[in-house]
């Protein structure tokens, strides 16, 4: 379960964001994918952000944004954010 510490957002703010519920979600620009667990909860990672997304996934203390949920070509899922 996401602890809301904000590490992923700090590392890669173009892809991860914290909402008022205290959980991290992925986003595409201003479009926050706040429905984890399905196709609508998956964001396309902007070109050049792959390494930052991987780092954010690896640094997540609870593996909520696990690299297992980071799929290439360039997709990231927040499904772990609520797991
Ligand atoms: S997804 Fe992980 S790194 Fe991001 S805020 Fe939640 S616990 Fe922290």
């Amino acid at each position: 379960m996401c602890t809301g510490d904000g590490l992923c957002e700090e590392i890669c703010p173009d892809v991860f964001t914290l909402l008022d519920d205290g959980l991290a979600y992925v986003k595409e620009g201003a479009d926050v994918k706040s429905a984890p667990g399905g196709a609508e909860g998956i964001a396309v990672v902007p070109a050049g952000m792959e390494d930052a997304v991987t780092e954010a996934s690896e640094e997540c203390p609870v593996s909520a944004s696990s690299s297992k949920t980071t799929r290439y070509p360039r997709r990231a899922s927040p499904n772990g954010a609520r797991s």
Side-chain angles (χ1 to χ4, degrees), residues 42-60:
I42 296 174
V44 175
V45 178
M49 292 282 106
E50 296 91 343
D51 287 348
V53 168
T54 298
E55 180 184 354
S57 298
E58 291 174 348
E59 293 297 324
C60 176

Side-chain angles (χ1 to χ4, degrees), residues 2-8 18 24 60-62 64-65:
C2 174
T3 65
D5 59 59
L7 274 175
C8 55
L18 288 174
C60 176
V62 294
S65 56

Side-chain angles (χ1 to χ4, degrees), residues 3-44:
T3 65
D5 59 59
L7 274 175
C8 55
E9 183 182 49
E10 182 177 323
I11 294 168
C12 190
D14 289 336
V15 174
F16 296 96
T17 188
L18 288 174
L19 296 186
D20 289 343
D21 62 6
L23 300 175
Y25 297 88
V26 292
K27 63 180 182 176
E28 290 178 11
D31 181 17
V32 178
K33 306 296 186 178
S34 58
E40 294 185 13
I42 296 174
V44 175

